[in-house]
Amino acid sequence: MLDFPDSLALRPGAARPVQRLTLPLAALLAAALAWSMPENGLLWDALNRALPSPPDGRVLVVGIDDATLRDYGRIGSWPRELYAQALNTLDQAGAAAIGVDVLLADPARNDAALAAVFSRPNVVLATAPGEPTALRPEWRSPTGISALNLSDDGIVRSFQAAYPDAASALAPSFARQLAAAAGRSVPLDPQPRILRYSVPDPQRLPVIPFRDVVNGSVRYGDFQNRVVLVGLIASGVGVPAVRDVSGQVVSGVELQARAVSSLLSAPFAHLPLWTVMLAGVLAALAAVLAGGLWGFWIALLALALSVPYWLLSTLLPGVTLSLCAVLGTGLVMLERWWTLRHSGVRDPLTGFGNRLAFTRAVESRWQGRQSRPLGLLLVDLSGFRKVNSVYGYAAGDELLRELAGRIMQHKRRGDLIFRWGPDEFAVLLDNTPSAELADLTRQVQLSLNTVTYRDLSLQASVGGASTGPDIRTPSDLIEAASRSRYRIKYQREQWRV
């Protein structure tokens, strides 16, 4: 049967005790949720696909394609003078920065001959993770780690401006070094950055063949003040099959070009964690205060706001804020469920349990009366009906709340209070033998003797009983308390006579 824990031992005016807990609970849970999941990877993927950035005209790719390999052979065996010819062509065309995204760690006989082109400050050489940053003593061009962040599903979603090396120091990435060579100040930050997705411009070639650059059969105007990346795009062995957020297989050099474009553009700003937590708390509180299903509209609004923030290069965790709003709505539903569950056993005026709640509580505690004797106080108020007839029902309600408050002052831990009738209350006493019952009854009686209402005469009567050998059923306990109460009334009336 139903019992009432002490924290729910009902108080005057507490008709909906959960309502007082809903707002602080919503704030606490929303703050915890926002703290635990500030990132919204699926949302960033969706926005990246739906709102791609336009192709950056400042970045070009010179691709080592299949035709180039047919002409010059396997990339590891062709003469490295080809790089010198290509870089000289790009330098003469006025390229602002040139990145060679081809790993050149293996020694070759003509490495010293390339010192002139591989020592230019606007040329960046790619290195593999864990590889020494100085590829050759005679090559003094800046180097950068050619790495991208590959997810478990084979999709490249992010990159970094720096990666930790074997000594746990930060080594710059290839894309960062190219952006720096182009005049962009980029700090060595290992924080993952979203790789902006861009759709190729159909009005221009996305990739210029490497052999055309070597031969000089290109328009110099295409390279002037551009950031040029040279890398492998040929199909077949040696080309990593990685995909972007659209699911398309893209070569590593093209993804590096997107990383450079991302660094040259306004970077995405992450909202501070405290801001996300505050926004989540506000979303949850708004859902609770709005009530009903308004929380779902607030959740949709939070998701919708992610779009303009994305266009402003700010990452708004709309999924997290939406979940906070849904959390608030869930607490509203929980509050309504609690209210419906307890509306049939609770007195709306005083917040105490009603007679049905009293019956359930007695049945629940009756089996343990041998080790924890049960006591019962019955309180009624003579003159209450006259207050209603003279001053109205509002005055009667005020009087009942005052009476309930005075009874509540004597409640001990484990005791439960109920509204027994229109002008009657019952107090179910926990672990109260007969020796304590008389003193407690006297204390309650003394506190109620001073109850008055304006010029009307009122008199409270308190009777008590506790379980013992002669009390075999709950009805016996109620009858014993009733006889005690009527005896108090009778003695008072006899004294007046």
Side-chain angles (χ1 to χ4, degrees):
M1 301 302 291
L2 184 63
D3 197 359
F4 292 89
D6 296 337
S7 60
L8 298 179
L10 309 165
R11 302 179 299 277
R16 299 174 65 185
V18 177
Q19 189 178 38
R20 298 186 178 182
L21 301 176
T22 303
L23 287 174
L25 183 60
L28 180 62
L29 293 178
L33 179 62
W35 177 80
S36 62
M37 55 170 301
E39 295 295 334
N40 296 170
L42 293 178
L43 177 62
W44 307 151
D45 281 356
L47 291 175
N48 213 358
R49 290 191 300 267
L51 302 170
S53 62
D56 196 325
R58 296 170 293 180
V59 181
L60 292 177
V61 173
V62 172
I64 302 173
D65 55 6
D66 293 310
T68 299
L69 295 181
R70 284 196 299 268
D71 288 352
Y72 302 135
R74 189 171 57 87
I75 190 170
S77 63
W78 68 21
R80 285 188 174 172
E81 288 86 350
L82 296 177
Y83 293 113
Q85 295 177 30
L87 266 63
N88 285 331
T89 299
L90 295 174
D91 192 56
Q92 294 171 9
I98 305 170
V100 181
D101 192 19
V102 179
L103 299 180
L104 301 172
D106 55 314
R109 287 173 297 178
N110 56 356
D111 283 350
L114 297 177
V117 292
F118 284 169
S119 296
R120 296 172 183 170
N122 69 329
V123 174
V124 178
L125 304 179
T127 61
E131 190 176 47
T133 56
L135 293 176
R136 298 287 182 274
E138 62 272 18
W139 296 354
R140 295 187 298 274
S141 290
T143 61
I145 297 176
S146 180
L148 295 167
N149 298 339
L150 187 65
S151 303
D152 294 337
D153 55 1
I155 294 178
V156 176
R157 294 181 170 88
S158 63
F159 69 100
Q160 296 171 208
Y163 292 89
D165 59 14
S168 298
L170 290 179
S173 68
F174 180 70
R176 184 266 177 192
Q177 295 293 74
L178 266 176
R184 183 79 175 187
S185 178
V186 181
L188 291 178
D189 181 11
Q191 178 70 28
R193 302 168 180 247
I194 290 180
L195 185 65
R196 290 180 183 265
Y197 171 64
S198 61
V199 180
D201 186 355
Q203 300 301 321
R204 68 181 181 92
L205 291 175
V207 177
I208 298 175
F210 180 79
R211 67 175 182 173
D212 291 350
V213 178
V214 172
N215 298 330
S217 56
V218 292
R219 293 187 309 172
Y220 280 18
D222 291 339
F223 301 99
Q224 190 170 13
N225 297 323
R226 300 291 197 274
V227 178
V228 182
L229 287 84
V230 180
L232 188 65
I233 64 169
S235 60
V237 180
V239 180
V242 295
R243 294 177 293 141
D244 60 14
V245 292
S246 69
Q248 299 296 319
V249 176
V250 184
S251 65
V253 67
E254 291 176 281
L255 291 177
Q256 290 286 358
R258 293 184 189 178
V260 175
S261 299
S262 299
L263 291 175
L264 295 178
S265 305
F268 279 111
H270 289 261
L271 293 177
L273 181 58
W274 70 267
T275 304
V276 177
M277 294 176 66
L278 178 60
V281 169
L282 293 177
L285 294 181
V288 171
L289 294 175
L293 300 179
W294 283 101
F296 292 106
W297 291 105
I298 297 174
L300 290 176
L301 176 62
L303 278 176
L305 287 176
S306 301
V307 175
Y309 272 86
W310 177 274
L311 296 176
L312 295 174
S313 298
T314 302
L315 299 177
L316 178 70
V319 173
T320 299
L321 301 184
S322 297
L323 290 176
C324 290
V326 173
L327 175 72
T329 300
L331 290 176
V332 171
M333 298 300 104
L334 177 62
E335 178 188 338
R336 292 189 174 182
W337 169 83
W338 179 271
T339 301
L340 290 174
R341 178 180 175 87
H342 293 86
S343 59
V345 293
R346 186 166 298 184
D347 173 46
L349 176 63
T350 63
F352 293 156
N354 59 17
R355 203 152 186 163
L356 174 59
F358 170 81
T359 301
R360 292 179 177 178
V362 171
E363 290 177 353
S364 176
R365 296 190 176 188
W366 188 255
Q367 298 301 324
R369 68 187 185 281
Q370 300 297 334
S371 58
R372 301 181 67 86
L374 289 179
L376 177 63
L377 296 182
L378 293 181
V379 181
D380 71 3
L381 184 65
S382 300
F384 171 73
R385 290 180 176 81
K386 193 172 184 180
V387 174
N388 281 339
S389 61
V390 174
Y391 295 105
Y393 289 100
D397 292 346
E398 180 184 353
L399 177 59
L400 285 176
R401 282 192 289 266
E402 179 185 355
L403 184 65
R406 295 198 182 198
I407 297 174
M408 190 68 184
Q409 293 175 358
H410 299 277
K411 178 189 174 296
R412 308 166 306 167
R413 182 176 179 83
D415 294 346
L416 299 175
I417 307 176
F418 306 90
R419 187 175 177 187
W420 183 259
D423 56 354
E424 296 174 298
F425 293 88
V427 183
L428 188 61
L429 304 172
D430 179 55
N431 196 19
T432 306
S434 302
E436 297 181 16
L437 179 67
D439 185 57
L440 185 59
T441 304
R442 182 182 57 82
Q443 293 177 19
V444 175
Q445 182 67 68
L446 289 175
S447 68
L448 300 183
N449 283 340
T450 58
V451 174
T452 60
Y453 194 85
R454 299 185 185 180
D455 58 341
L456 296 180
S457 175
L458 301 172
Q459 185 63 58
S461 301
V462 183
S466 62
T467 56
D470 55 334
I471 303 295
R472 299 179 180 179
T473 65
S475 298
D476 293 340
L477 181 64
I478 296 172
E479 291 178 3
S482 298
R483 289 195 300 268
S484 174
R485 180 181 52 173
Y486 290 132
R487 185 163 54 250
I488 295 294
K489 279 188 176 184
Y490 177 78
Q491 291 175 355
R492 184 184 299 116
E493 291 174 358
Q494 292 296 320
W495 179 78
R496 288 179 181 177
V497 174

